[in-house]
Amino acid sequence: MRDYFTPGRLVSSTAGRDYGKFYLILDRVSETRVRLVNGTDRRVNGPKLKNIKHLKVYPLVAGDIAHKVSTGQRVTDLDVRRALKELLEAYGQVMPAQGKPSGDELELSQDGSGKEVG
Amino acid sequence: MITIKSQRELRYMRDAGRVVAGVLGELSRAIKPGVTTAELDRLAEDFILARGARPAFKGLYGFPASICTSVNEQVVHGIPGLRKLESGDIISIDVGAEINGYYGDGAATFPVGEVSPEAKKLMAVTEEALYEGIRFARQGNRLSDISHAVQRYVEKHGFSVVREYVGHGIGRSMHEEPQVPNFGKPGRGPRLKAGMTLAIEPMVNAGTHEVRTLGDNWTVVTRDSSLSAHFEHTVAITDGEPEILTRL
């Protein structure tokens, strides 16, 4: 069985307060859980721990991140933001806001679900 | 139709190429007497999957494994199995990886333990022939300038190039147009443009250039059972120096 939960993979949340939000997988910590980053509010120093059950996987991988993680190089938040931006563009999604959210509209599009952010 | 790749497409192909180069690096350390080709296949597959890529050969035209392992007189498309490598063997590994829908393809021949001077020379000439071909992969040149450069280099050193199997365009699929033969007259074929991506892969035999296919319908061997080597890179044509995508 092929394991899709590898570093660099584009995923989105399907449950929880971050419903609809996009992340990249940083690494896998156990059979059921992965660490997620998006370079903005979930940084490499403070990744989100999430059950893989609550993730949707996409057929896109940030090759750069996958390479860095597997060779033990440091992944920076800038790497993550860049890779996430590019993959989302490739996937035809609305671009997430970069850096500090500046307006409601941008914040909503980053949330991805169109719901109010809690 | 020969496709021209955008910068983004080239980035994805670099990602795929880096995985391919990584596999070849990993296998070069694993290849030693006593290792079976199936073990190498397993190693390669794990490496590729761990990087979020997909082994592109598996299932391609029905091929049963993630890499091709061609030992000694086997030219290409050897199927990994229980064969144990012995000191003195040479083994050609051909790998393909796909990431985000884009492909990388590369190959190299490695010595197992201590090999004969003839085998060493064959491997060196094949690798140099590949780089000789890449030198001509420039915007404005014609496709067969690459082919001619490879053939001339190989034959100058007393070996022969395989005719039946050729390099290929690569990108959104493993095999795209155009075909890239390793022989022929210069100045023929389509003109090369920046953004084209080619898999250039000389297969060089120590004896005759003739080959035949074994009963498994995959493994290609030299007709006179002489040794054969195979080196390959995925190369992007640019407006300057060609870029080798399958290099770390």
Side-chain angles (χ1 to χ4, degrees):
Chain A
M1 174 57 201
R2 184 169 169 200
D3 181 9
Y4 289 96
F5 298 96
T6 54
R9 170 79 58 185
L10 178 69
V11 295
S12 68
S13 164
T14 58
R17 57 187 292 168
D18 61 346
Y19 177 89
K21 211 163 165 176
F22 288 98
Y23 298 99
L24 296 179
I25 294 180
L26 183 63
D27 55 10
R28 188 158 189 165
V29 291
S30 71
E31 194 62 11
T32 55
R33 291 207 282 182
V34 290
R35 296 201 299 167
L36 304 173
V37 286
N38 61 13
T40 51
D41 59 343
R42 288 298 181 179
R43 291 180 171 255
V44 176
N45 287 330
K48 167 132 190 73
L49 206 58
K50 207 163 172 80
N51 193 317
I52 59 172
K53 224 193 252 177
H54 303 138
L55 290 175
K56 177 175 172 190
V57 293
Y58 293 83
L60 291 171
V61 173
D64 214 37
I65 308 277
H67 175 74
K68 282 194 170 171
V69 171
S70 56
T71 52
Q73 290 175 61
R74 212 164 62 89
V75 177
T76 67
D77 289 306
L78 183 64
D79 293 338
V80 173
R81 286 197 297 273
R82 259 193 206 137
L84 191 58
K85 179 180 164 193
E86 176 160 336
L87 290 187
L88 288 177
E89 273 174 2
Y91 198 68
Q93 294 286 344
V94 188
M95 259 285 303
Q98 293 297 303
K100 285 179 192 154
S102 50
D104 280 341
E105 228 172 301
L106 285 173
E107 204 169 353
L108 284 178
S109 64
Q110 181 177 24
D111 182 52
S113 66
K115 287 183 194 165
E116 283 293 321
V117 186
Chain B
M1 197 192 68
I2 305 173
T3 55
I4 302 290
K5 273 78 180 178
S6 68
Q7 285 304 318
R8 165 171 297 159
E9 291 180 294
L10 286 175
R11 274 205 293 280
Y12 287 151
M13 291 191 67
R14 264 179 221 123
D15 287 342
R18 185 161 54 190
V19 173
V20 168
V23 172
L24 290 174
E26 180 89 354
L27 292 185
S28 73
R29 288 184 288 277
I31 289 170
K32 46 175 86 84
V35 174
T36 68
T37 50
E39 285 164 1
L40 297 176
D41 179 53
R42 187 61 205 267
L43 207 61
E45 186 167 325
D46 289 349
F47 186 98
I48 294 170
L49 291 176
R51 277 152 186 76
R54 186 177 67 81
F57 286 178
K58 205 158 201 179
L60 186 72
Y61 311 121
F63 191 76
S66 293
I67 57 173
C68 300
T69 54
S70 313
V71 184
N72 294 339
E73 80 284 0
Q74 298 174 352
V75 181
V76 282
H77 302 167
I79 300 173
L82 297 177
R83 176 170 186 164
K84 272 198 167 80
L85 296 179
E86 289 169 26
S87 185
D89 284 346
I90 61 171
I91 178 168
S92 303
I93 308 278
D94 196 346
V95 201
E98 175 259 314
I99 195 161
N100 299 342
Y102 288 85
Y103 287 79
D105 190 4
T109 302
F110 301 101
V112 183
E114 204 43 50
V115 300
S116 69
E118 193 211 8
K120 270 185 196 152
K121 186 181 169 206
L122 177 69
M123 287 188 290
V125 167
T126 310
E127 186 169 12
E128 286 154 15
L130 169 61
Y131 287 106
E132 186 69 12
I134 291 172
R135 238 161 42 87
F136 287 85
R138 302 180 72 101
Q139 170 152 272
N141 279 0
R142 294 232 187 214
L143 183 71
S144 78
D145 293 342
I146 301 172
S147 315
H148 181 71
V150 170
Q151 183 182 24
R152 200 183 45 186
Y153 190 87
V154 168
E155 292 182 351
K156 192 171 79 185
H157 289 84
F159 298 127
S160 63
V161 289
V162 173
R163 311 286 205 264
E164 278 88 340
Y165 297 87
V166 295
H168 48 91
I170 180 169
R172 287 216 73 128
S173 37
M174 191 76 201
H175 297 128
E176 291 185 351
E177 285 181 53
Q179 292 198 343
V180 187
N182 298 306
F183 60 95
K185 291 183 177 154
R188 306 286 169 91
R191 211 172 272 287
L192 302 177
K193 283 203 197 95
M196 288 181 180
T197 43
L198 304 173
I200 303 175
E201 44 178 330
M203 289 145 269
V204 176
N205 297 348
T208 173
H209 68 77
E210 287 174 36
V211 296
R212 65 189 176 90
T213 308
L214 296 185
D216 62 12
N217 280 328
W218 276 111
T219 313
V220 177
V221 298
T222 55
R223 199 169 277 278
D224 59 2
S225 294
S226 61
L227 291 178
S228 182
H230 179 202
F231 281 85
E232 172 179 24
H233 273 310
T234 299
V235 177
I237 316 287
T238 68
D239 47 16
E241 291 296 310
E243 182 187 350
I244 299 176
L245 301 175
T246 41
R247 189 148 69 178
L248 283 178

